[in-house]
Amino acid sequence: MTAPVVRPDAALEPLVASIAAGDRDAFQQLFRALAPKVRGYLLRLGADAGAADEVTQETMLTIWRKAASYDPALASVSTWVFTIARNRRIDRLRRARRPEFDPNDPALQPDPVEGADVAHEAAETGQLLRAAIQELPKEQLRLLELAFFHDKSHRAIADETKLPLGTVKSRIRLALVRLRDRLKDETR
Amino acid sequence: MIPLAHLSDDVLVDYAAGTLPQATALLVATHLALCPDCREEVRLLEEVGGAMLAERVPEAPADHLLADCLALLDRPVTVQEQPARYCADGVYPRPLLDVLPADGLTWHKRAKGLAEIRLDTGPGPVAKLLKISAGQPMPRHTHSGREFTLVLDGSFSDDYGVYRRGDVAVATEGEIHQPIAGAERDCICLAVVEGSLSLTGPIGRVLNLFVRF
């Protein structure tokens, strides 16, 4: 790492730690910082105002209950909250739990042991990604956003944008290659 | 053993974004349990999701929502999480085990050397466990959507190579193929077909009546 990375998201980490200790003020602060973003995400995905409010509330309550399990080494706070909101939304739509792997499963193929030079703070990764995402060509950014913030699979995006499915896939892949390269450069 | 045949970016993006149908998401989650490389990829994609959440234009909820939340903080959780159940012989990773019957597996014979168990993944694409007898070819077939086959035990091979535990074979729409189970032992797979499946060849056409996905 050459230059120190500014991490606005890092300001949220102590809040989550306080919430884990039962601090209601910290919860209110995190609510004010993130509930509007979560609600914006849900509305963008096509939820009506009532459903967006309900899932936002469930997301915030899940944060309260699970704050102790948040690990800053694994994900930035925004990412952790994104996965919670995504899962709550799916659970509500399908009335079934989103399938996820269990890190404690004895059947899990363990991660290869990483060298200290490869280990990288997840919150920094998040910040780098955010910068890299802003630098993506508009078209790639639009497709990534469509993939993440509309309830649309690649095929549905192809239908909507009138682009061939192959083009959608290759542009999204290109965007990801660029992000990955950017991360490699920064962490070298 | 790290799997060699991975899932492609587009499938992992849809999984991270939460837009895959339940059956396909189950297959992806099961592959992730067996594949550290794809887990790392999904972690990166979730960071993309988190970064985009952070950049979202805020849509402030009504004032009462915070008060409602605060009132609920101390409410005891009524729905207890099921204690985790793990597979004794390690064949079925957790996300898959969660949708398998707890009282043992009942295989339904479908054709010579082919048995299956249909899994409950709600509406949409169907997920099945397949057991193919050692050395047995699967019926030659094609499908109208993507077909994913994840090996859980044993192995199978097709025109592209050999697939072992954790590997996923993806057949695209209209592709005709005929996997053959490895001779070492029965092959157990998780299969998801996003469209309808039909068998080809003279015997296949008759079998179609029985093996509909």
Side-chain angles (χ1 to χ4, degrees):
Chain A
M1 187 71 45
T2 47
V5 180
V6 189
R7 295 165 39 194
D9 206 48
L12 301 176
E13 282 174 21
L15 286 182
V16 178
S18 303
I19 291 170
D23 183 337
R24 299 170 77 100
D25 285 342
F27 178 79
Q28 294 198 39
Q29 285 182 55
L30 195 76
F31 187 101
R32 292 207 176 88
L34 288 181
K37 304 264 185 189
V38 169
R39 192 163 175 275
Y41 160 68
L42 295 164
L43 289 172
R44 177 100 193 257
L45 278 162
D48 60 43
D53 281 350
E54 271 179 47
V55 178
T56 301
Q57 179 169 319
E58 282 169 26
T59 301
M60 298 312 296
L61 289 173
T62 305
I63 291 170
W64 173 258
R65 286 201 305 268
K66 300 213 162 158
S69 71
Y70 169 67
D71 180 354
L74 286 179
S76 61
V77 173
S78 300
T79 299
W80 182 59
V81 172
F82 161 74
T83 58
I84 292 173
R86 173 198 66 191
N87 293 2
R88 288 285 83 81
R89 175 178 166 272
I90 292 175
D91 295 351
R92 184 192 155 93
L93 285 177
R94 307 232 174 95
R95 294 195 182 82
R97 279 182 64 124
R98 169 184 162 89
E100 295 212 302
F101 67 87
D102 173 356
N104 300 316
D105 187 351
L108 189 94
Q109 175 77 34
D111 289 320
V113 181
E114 285 190 4
D117 52 331
V118 204
H120 189 52
E121 275 288 324
E124 284 178 11
T125 312
Q127 182 56 27
L128 288 171
L129 266 171
R130 230 153 293 153
I133 286 164
Q134 295 312 312
E135 288 165 21
L136 283 175
K138 273 214 169 80
E139 177 66 8
Q140 290 177 7
L141 189 63
R142 190 170 73 97
L143 290 173
L144 263 185
E145 282 213 353
L146 272 178
F148 271 92
F149 289 113
H150 286 265
D151 189 3
K152 291 195 187 314
S153 66
H154 280 56
R155 178 170 298 280
I157 293 171
D159 290 344
E160 182 175 293
T161 57
K162 307 275 185 274
L163 289 170
L165 182 60
T167 308
V168 170
K169 282 186 183 177
S170 64
R171 288 198 188 156
I172 289 182
R173 191 174 307 130
L174 214 68
L176 293 172
V177 166
R178 205 179 270 244
L179 290 177
R180 238 173 265 137
D181 286 353
R182 178 69 199 274
L183 283 184
K184 270 190 213 127
D185 290 348
E186 296 281 350
T187 55
R188 196 164 282 146
Chain B
M1 191 175 62
I2 308 275
L4 294 173
H6 300 289
L7 286 161
S8 59
D9 274 346
D10 58 314
V11 179
L12 296 179
V13 167
D14 289 347
Y15 178 79
T19 55
L20 283 179
Q22 188 78 355
T24 318
L26 173 68
L27 183 133
V28 174
T30 307
H31 173 70
L32 292 183
L34 301 174
C35 183
D37 289 353
C38 287
R39 280 209 295 276
E40 185 55 31
E41 189 66 27
V42 165
R43 202 172 76 80
L44 180 131
L45 290 168
E46 288 177 339
E47 283 290 344
V48 173
M52 288 191 168
L53 180 80
E55 300 297 327
R56 206 92 313 271
V57 178
E59 299 273 358
D63 288 339
H64 67 83
L65 202 70
L66 174 56
D68 291 353
C69 270
L70 288 170
L72 289 170
L73 291 188
D74 298 323
R75 190 191 56 171
V77 185
T78 45
V79 185
Q80 281 302 315
E81 295 225 355
Q82 291 288 321
R85 191 158 64 94
Y86 296 118
C87 177
D89 58 8
V91 170
Y92 305 104
R94 175 84 196 282
L96 181 54
L97 197 66
D98 289 346
V99 294
L100 294 180
D103 51 356
L105 301 180
T106 311
W107 293 93
H108 302 280
K109 194 168 181 220
R110 282 308 193 180
K112 183 169 177 280
L114 175 68
E116 67 172 39
I117 297 169
R118 198 180 162 121
L119 306 177
D120 179 15
T121 49
V126 172
K128 285 179 173 183
L129 280 182
L130 300 179
K131 181 152 79 177
I132 315 156
S133 302
Q136 185 75 30
M138 283 260 283
R140 205 171 146 80
H141 65 279
T142 185
H143 20 77
S144 63
R146 294 183 295 188
E147 178 197 57
F148 300 88
T149 314
L150 166 68
V151 180
L152 295 163
D153 198 24
S155 69
F156 73 79
S157 54
D158 64 12
D159 295 344
Y160 300 100
V162 182
Y163 299 82
R164 297 187 177 82
R165 178 168 168 84
D167 288 335
V168 187
V170 183
T172 50
E173 194 169 322
E175 197 176 323
I176 298 173
H177 67 149
Q178 185 173 36
I180 299 173
E184 71 279 12
R185 61 176 177 280
D186 291 353
C187 175
I188 297 176
C189 302
L190 172 62
V192 171
V193 174
E194 291 187 331
S196 62
L197 175 142
S198 54
L199 301 173
T200 58
I203 299 173
R205 278 189 212 105
V206 177
L207 282 175
N208 265 336
L209 300 170
F210 304 101
V211 229
R212 281 242 182 266
F213 244 78

